[in-house]
mmCIF file of all heavy atoms in Angstrom:
data_model
loop_
_atom_site.group_PDB
_atom_site.id
_atom_site.type_symbol
_atom_site.label_atom_id
_atom_site.label_comp_id
_atom_site.label_asym_id
_atom_site.label_seq_id
_atom_site.Cartn_x
_atom_site.Cartn_y
_atom_site.Cartn_z
ATOM 1 N N LYS A 29 -22.060 34.380 -68.602
ATOM 2 C CA LYS A 29 -22.946 33.755 -67.765
ATOM 3 C C LYS A 29 -22.330 32.426 -67.182
ATOM 4 O O LYS A 29 -21.715 31.683 -67.926
ATOM 5 C CB LYS A 29 -24.291 33.381 -68.394
ATOM 6 C CG LYS A 29 -25.313 32.779 -67.580
ATOM 7 C CD LYS A 29 -26.512 32.450 -68.220
ATOM 8 C CE LYS A 29 -26.360 31.344 -69.299
ATOM 9 N NZ LYS A 29 -27.544 30.831 -69.913
ATOM 10 N N ILE A 30 -22.356 32.309 -65.892
ATOM 11 C CA ILE A 30 -22.036 31.032 -65.252
ATOM 12 C C ILE A 30 -23.064 30.379 -64.389
ATOM 13 O O ILE A 30 -23.599 31.181 -63.556
ATOM 14 C CB ILE A 30 -20.726 31.211 -64.366
ATOM 15 C CG1 ILE A 30 -19.574 31.777 -65.214
ATOM 16 C CG2 ILE A 30 -20.239 29.989 -63.703
ATOM 17 C CD1 ILE A 30 -18.326 32.203 -64.506
ATOM 18 N N ASP A 31 -23.481 29.215 -64.681
ATOM 19 C CA ASP A 31 -24.616 28.476 -63.953
ATOM 20 C C ASP A 31 -23.801 27.473 -63.092
ATOM 21 O O ASP A 31 -23.018 26.611 -63.526
ATOM 22 C CB ASP A 31 -25.555 27.884 -64.927
ATOM 23 C CG ASP A 31 -26.275 28.998 -65.711
ATOM 24 O OD1 ASP A 31 -27.147 29.524 -65.246
ATOM 25 O OD2 ASP A 31 -25.921 29.164 -66.855
ATOM 26 N N ILE A 32 -24.215 27.398 -61.738
ATOM 27 C CA ILE A 32 -23.584 26.513 -60.847
ATOM 28 C C ILE A 32 -24.700 25.666 -60.263
ATOM 29 O O ILE A 32 -25.617 26.235 -59.636
ATOM 30 C CB ILE A 32 -22.716 27.183 -59.804
ATOM 31 C CG1 ILE A 32 -21.743 28.137 -60.472
ATOM 32 C CG2 ILE A 32 -21.990 26.212 -58.877
ATOM 33 C CD1 ILE A 32 -21.125 28.998 -59.364
ATOM 34 N N TRP A 33 -24.532 24.285 -60.367
ATOM 35 C CA TRP A 33 -25.496 23.411 -59.659
ATOM 36 C C TRP A 33 -24.755 22.879 -58.362
ATOM 37 O O TRP A 33 -23.538 22.593 -58.381
ATOM 38 C CB TRP A 33 -25.871 22.169 -60.524
ATOM 39 C CG TRP A 33 -27.025 22.518 -61.428
ATOM 40 C CD1 TRP A 33 -28.267 22.193 -61.172
ATOM 41 C CD2 TRP A 33 -27.048 23.195 -62.680
ATOM 42 N NE1 TRP A 33 -29.100 22.627 -62.196
ATOM 43 C CE2 TRP A 33 -28.287 23.301 -63.178
ATOM 44 C CE3 TRP A 33 -25.927 23.691 -63.404
ATOM 45 C CZ2 TRP A 33 -28.646 23.846 -64.366
ATOM 46 C CZ3 TRP A 33 -26.207 24.330 -64.715
ATOM 47 C CH2 TRP A 33 -27.580 24.394 -65.150
ATOM 48 N N SER A 34 -25.454 22.931 -57.338
ATOM 49 C CA SER A 34 -24.765 22.737 -56.002
ATOM 50 C C SER A 34 -25.823 22.303 -55.021
ATOM 51 O O SER A 34 -26.967 22.654 -55.006
ATOM 52 C CB SER A 34 -24.079 24.002 -55.604
ATOM 53 O OG SER A 34 -23.620 24.026 -54.243
ATOM 54 N N ASP A 35 -25.408 21.513 -53.929
ATOM 55 C CA ASP A 35 -26.262 21.133 -52.872
ATOM 56 C C ASP A 35 -25.683 21.783 -51.676
ATOM 57 O O ASP A 35 -24.492 21.811 -51.450
ATOM 58 C CB ASP A 35 -26.455 19.681 -52.780
ATOM 59 C CG ASP A 35 -27.598 19.264 -51.723
ATOM 60 O OD1 ASP A 35 -28.298 20.141 -51.316
ATOM 61 O OD2 ASP A 35 -27.681 17.947 -51.512
ATOM 62 N N ILE A 36 -26.570 22.147 -50.658
ATOM 63 C CA ILE A 36 -26.082 22.703 -49.370
ATOM 64 C C ILE A 36 -25.415 21.824 -48.491
ATOM 65 O O ILE A 36 -24.439 21.993 -47.905
ATOM 66 C CB ILE A 36 -27.145 23.543 -48.708
ATOM 67 C CG1 ILE A 36 -27.793 24.590 -49.563
ATOM 68 C CG2 ILE A 36 -26.779 24.042 -47.347
ATOM 69 C CD1 ILE A 36 -29.265 24.812 -49.367
ATOM 70 N N ALA A 37 -25.946 20.529 -48.680
ATOM 71 C CA ALA A 37 -25.313 19.442 -47.775
ATOM 72 C C ALA A 37 -24.239 18.686 -48.517
ATOM 73 O O ALA A 37 -24.123 17.433 -48.442
ATOM 74 C CB ALA A 37 -26.511 18.499 -47.445
ATOM 75 N N CYS A 38 -23.380 19.447 -49.258
ATOM 76 C CA CYS A 38 -22.260 18.878 -49.991
ATOM 77 C C CYS A 38 -21.002 19.580 -49.659
ATOM 78 O O CYS A 38 -20.890 20.874 -49.887
ATOM 79 C CB CYS A 38 -22.539 19.087 -51.492
ATOM 80 S SG CYS A 38 -21.088 18.895 -52.541
ATOM 81 N N PRO A 39 -20.138 19.000 -48.830
ATOM 82 C CA PRO A 39 -18.907 19.655 -48.388
ATOM 83 C C PRO A 39 -17.977 20.203 -49.536
ATOM 84 O O PRO A 39 -17.456 21.300 -49.325
ATOM 85 C CB PRO A 39 -18.114 18.596 -47.595
ATOM 86 C CG PRO A 39 -18.675 17.286 -48.203
ATOM 87 C CD PRO A 39 -20.046 17.455 -48.439
ATOM 88 N N TRP A 40 -17.967 19.554 -50.548
ATOM 89 C CA TRP A 40 -17.154 19.939 -51.770
ATOM 90 C C TRP A 40 -17.681 21.174 -52.547
ATOM 91 O O TRP A 40 -16.988 21.856 -53.103
ATOM 92 C CB TRP A 40 -16.910 18.782 -52.711
ATOM 93 C CG TRP A 40 -15.968 17.725 -52.100
ATOM 94 C CD1 TRP A 40 -16.273 16.518 -51.750
ATOM 95 C CD2 TRP A 40 -14.534 17.886 -51.973
ATOM 96 N NE1 TRP A 40 -15.139 15.882 -51.243
ATOM 97 C CE2 TRP A 40 -14.094 16.758 -51.327
ATOM 98 C CE3 TRP A 40 -13.629 18.893 -52.169
ATOM 99 C CZ2 TRP A 40 -12.712 16.468 -50.937
ATOM 100 C CZ3 TRP A 40 -12.283 18.762 -51.730
ATOM 101 C CH2 TRP A 40 -11.866 17.637 -51.177
ATOM 102 N N CYS A 41 -19.025 21.264 -52.290
ATOM 103 C CA CYS A 41 -19.687 22.489 -52.992
ATOM 104 C C CYS A 41 -19.213 23.728 -52.415
ATOM 105 O O CYS A 41 -18.986 24.714 -53.043
ATOM 106 C CB CYS A 41 -21.190 22.309 -52.786
ATOM 107 S SG CYS A 41 -21.858 21.037 -53.964
ATOM 108 N N TYR A 42 -19.106 23.754 -51.016
ATOM 109 C CA TYR A 42 -18.552 24.908 -50.358
ATOM 110 C C TYR A 42 -17.047 25.263 -50.760
ATOM 111 O O TYR A 42 -16.767 26.317 -50.947
ATOM 112 C CB TYR A 42 -18.787 24.759 -48.790
ATOM 113 C CG TYR A 42 -18.852 26.034 -48.029
ATOM 114 C CD1 TYR A 42 -18.815 27.284 -48.695
ATOM 115 C CD2 TYR A 42 -18.961 26.026 -46.542
ATOM 116 C CE1 TYR A 42 -18.888 28.448 -47.927
ATOM 117 C CE2 TYR A 42 -18.995 27.109 -45.969
ATOM 118 C CZ TYR A 42 -18.972 28.510 -46.438
ATOM 119 O OH TYR A 42 -19.042 29.614 -45.804
ATOM 120 N N ILE A 43 -16.294 24.118 -50.682
ATOM 121 C CA ILE A 43 -14.988 24.299 -51.125
ATOM 122 C C ILE A 43 -14.827 24.794 -52.614
ATOM 123 O O ILE A 43 -14.062 25.651 -52.919
ATOM 124 C CB ILE A 43 -14.239 22.959 -50.911
ATOM 125 C CG1 ILE A 43 -14.126 22.640 -49.379
ATOM 126 C CG2 ILE A 43 -12.776 22.942 -51.518
ATOM 127 C CD1 ILE A 43 -13.671 21.163 -49.137
ATOM 128 N N GLY A 44 -15.595 24.178 -53.468
ATOM 129 C CA GLY A 44 -15.543 24.629 -54.875
ATOM 130 C C GLY A 44 -16.102 26.071 -54.941
ATOM 131 O O GLY A 44 -15.528 26.781 -55.857
ATOM 132 N N LYS A 45 -17.038 26.476 -54.176
ATOM 133 C CA LYS A 45 -17.471 27.874 -54.274
ATOM 134 C C LYS A 45 -16.297 28.754 -53.927
ATOM 135 O O LYS A 45 -16.012 29.733 -54.591
ATOM 136 C CB LYS A 45 -18.666 28.164 -53.262
ATOM 137 C CG LYS A 45 -19.221 29.574 -53.197
ATOM 138 C CD LYS A 45 -20.389 29.600 -52.286
ATOM 139 C CE LYS A 45 -21.079 30.934 -52.429
ATOM 140 N NZ LYS A 45 -20.380 32.116 -51.950
ATOM 141 N N ARG A 46 -15.539 28.486 -52.891
ATOM 142 C CA ARG A 46 -14.495 29.357 -52.514
ATOM 143 C C ARG A 46 -13.384 29.386 -53.516
ATOM 144 O O ARG A 46 -12.741 30.354 -53.863
ATOM 145 C CB ARG A 46 -13.775 28.851 -51.249
ATOM 146 C CG ARG A 46 -14.521 29.318 -49.993
ATOM 147 C CD ARG A 46 -14.291 30.829 -49.812
ATOM 148 N NE ARG A 46 -14.943 31.263 -48.573
ATOM 149 C CZ ARG A 46 -16.219 31.628 -48.499
ATOM 150 N NH1 ARG A 46 -16.970 31.578 -49.687
ATOM 151 N NH2 ARG A 46 -16.724 32.035 -47.371
ATOM 152 N N ARG A 47 -13.038 28.203 -54.142
ATOM 153 C CA ARG A 47 -11.947 28.116 -55.229
ATOM 154 C C ARG A 47 -12.450 28.871 -56.509
ATOM 155 O O ARG A 47 -11.635 29.637 -57.049
ATOM 156 C CB ARG A 47 -11.647 26.675 -55.494
ATOM 157 C CG ARG A 47 -10.955 26.071 -54.407
ATOM 158 C CD ARG A 47 -10.770 24.460 -54.652
ATOM 159 N NE ARG A 47 -9.987 23.900 -53.612
ATOM 160 C CZ ARG A 47 -9.827 22.572 -53.436
ATOM 161 N NH1 ARG A 47 -10.263 21.816 -54.386
ATOM 162 N NH2 ARG A 47 -9.067 22.187 -52.414
ATOM 163 N N PHE A 48 -13.722 28.817 -56.761
ATOM 164 C CA PHE A 48 -14.254 29.423 -58.009
ATOM 165 C C PHE A 48 -14.196 30.996 -57.627
ATOM 166 O O PHE A 48 -13.775 31.903 -58.534
ATOM 167 C CB PHE A 48 -15.659 29.136 -58.295
ATOM 168 C CG PHE A 48 -16.366 30.015 -59.254
ATOM 169 C CD1 PHE A 48 -16.078 29.955 -60.596
ATOM 170 C CD2 PHE A 48 -17.215 30.872 -58.899
ATOM 171 C CE1 PHE A 48 -16.653 30.820 -61.506
ATOM 172 C CE2 PHE A 48 -17.949 31.768 -59.603
ATOM 173 C CZ PHE A 48 -17.620 31.740 -61.040
ATOM 174 N N GLU A 49 -14.617 31.496 -56.536
ATOM 175 C CA GLU A 49 -14.525 32.812 -56.100
ATOM 176 C C GLU A 49 -13.081 33.409 -56.100
ATOM 177 O O GLU A 49 -12.930 34.663 -56.531
ATOM 178 C CB GLU A 49 -15.157 33.100 -54.743
ATOM 179 C CG GLU A 49 -16.606 32.858 -54.731
ATOM 180 C CD GLU A 49 -17.146 32.767 -53.254
ATOM 181 O OE1 GLU A 49 -16.465 32.533 -52.320
ATOM 182 O OE2 GLU A 49 -18.428 32.993 -53.138
ATOM 183 N N THR A 50 -12.107 32.588 -55.819
ATOM 184 C CA THR A 50 -10.694 32.968 -55.919
ATOM 185 C C THR A 50 -10.438 33.360 -57.356
ATOM 186 O O THR A 50 -9.753 34.387 -57.525
ATOM 187 C CB THR A 50 -9.905 31.901 -55.310
ATOM 188 O OG1 THR A 50 -10.097 31.698 -53.886
ATOM 189 C CG2 THR A 50 -8.383 32.314 -55.421
ATOM 190 N N ALA A 51 -10.719 32.458 -58.166
ATOM 191 C CA ALA A 51 -10.507 32.601 -59.582
ATOM 192 C C ALA A 51 -11.210 33.828 -60.170
ATOM 193 O O ALA A 51 -10.630 34.776 -60.853
ATOM 194 C CB ALA A 51 -10.769 31.449 -60.424
ATOM 195 N N LEU A 52 -12.465 33.997 -59.820
ATOM 196 C CA LEU A 52 -13.314 35.080 -60.266
ATOM 197 C C LEU A 52 -12.800 36.378 -59.694
ATOM 198 O O LEU A 52 -12.865 37.425 -60.528
ATOM 199 C CB LEU A 52 -14.683 34.899 -59.806
ATOM 200 C CG LEU A 52 -15.820 35.936 -60.328
ATOM 201 C CD1 LEU A 52 -15.829 35.849 -61.879
ATOM 202 C CD2 LEU A 52 -17.151 35.699 -59.720
ATOM 203 N N ALA A 53 -12.241 36.462 -58.652
ATOM 204 C CA ALA A 53 -11.756 37.693 -58.086
ATOM 205 C C ALA A 53 -10.611 38.310 -58.737
ATOM 206 O O ALA A 53 -10.348 39.543 -58.799
ATOM 207 C CB ALA A 53 -11.408 37.566 -56.573
ATOM 208 N N ARG A 54 -9.771 37.437 -59.346
ATOM 209 C CA ARG A 54 -8.617 37.889 -60.070
ATOM 210 C C ARG A 54 -8.900 37.867 -61.703
ATOM 211 O O ARG A 54 -7.902 38.242 -62.443
ATOM 212 C CB ARG A 54 -7.393 37.014 -59.719
ATOM 213 C CG ARG A 54 -7.510 35.519 -60.183
ATOM 214 C CD ARG A 54 -6.421 34.734 -59.471
ATOM 215 N NE ARG A 54 -6.515 33.297 -59.968
ATOM 216 C CZ ARG A 54 -5.916 32.354 -59.224
ATOM 217 N NH1 ARG A 54 -5.263 32.546 -58.113
ATOM 218 N NH2 ARG A 54 -5.894 31.113 -59.730
ATOM 219 N N PHE A 55 -10.050 37.685 -62.057
ATOM 220 C CA PHE A 55 -10.519 37.672 -63.485
ATOM 221 C C PHE A 55 -10.668 39.101 -63.797
ATOM 222 O O PHE A 55 -11.483 39.789 -63.186
ATOM 223 C CB PHE A 55 -11.715 36.812 -63.649
ATOM 224 C CG PHE A 55 -12.117 36.759 -65.012
ATOM 225 C CD1 PHE A 55 -11.253 36.243 -66.006
ATOM 226 C CD2 PHE A 55 -13.451 37.022 -65.422
ATOM 227 C CE1 PHE A 55 -11.527 36.133 -67.374
ATOM 228 C CE2 PHE A 55 -13.783 36.922 -66.779
ATOM 229 C CZ PHE A 55 -12.913 36.516 -67.763
ATOM 230 N N PRO A 56 -9.984 39.633 -64.948
ATOM 231 C CA PRO A 56 -10.057 41.110 -65.286
ATOM 232 C C PRO A 56 -11.495 41.534 -65.601
ATOM 233 O O PRO A 56 -11.843 42.697 -65.452
ATOM 234 C CB PRO A 56 -9.163 41.172 -66.551
ATOM 235 C CG PRO A 56 -8.162 39.992 -66.400
ATOM 236 C CD PRO A 56 -9.016 38.947 -65.795
ATOM 237 N N HIS A 57 -12.364 40.585 -66.090
ATOM 238 C CA HIS A 57 -13.651 40.900 -66.511
ATOM 239 C C HIS A 57 -14.775 40.431 -65.587
ATOM 240 O O HIS A 57 -15.874 40.247 -66.006
ATOM 241 C CB HIS A 57 -13.869 40.312 -67.943
ATOM 242 C CG HIS A 57 -12.807 40.645 -68.924
ATOM 243 N ND1 HIS A 57 -12.635 41.904 -69.442
ATOM 244 C CD2 HIS A 57 -11.870 39.839 -69.433
ATOM 245 C CE1 HIS A 57 -11.625 41.761 -70.306
ATOM 246 N NE2 HIS A 57 -11.145 40.567 -70.239
#
């Protein structure tokens, strides 16, 4: 389980979402 706290009006939140998704996409599980 991964819980993410984030605000829509936060530029780093969108960037962080993309970077996390990159890691998750290559995660075997």
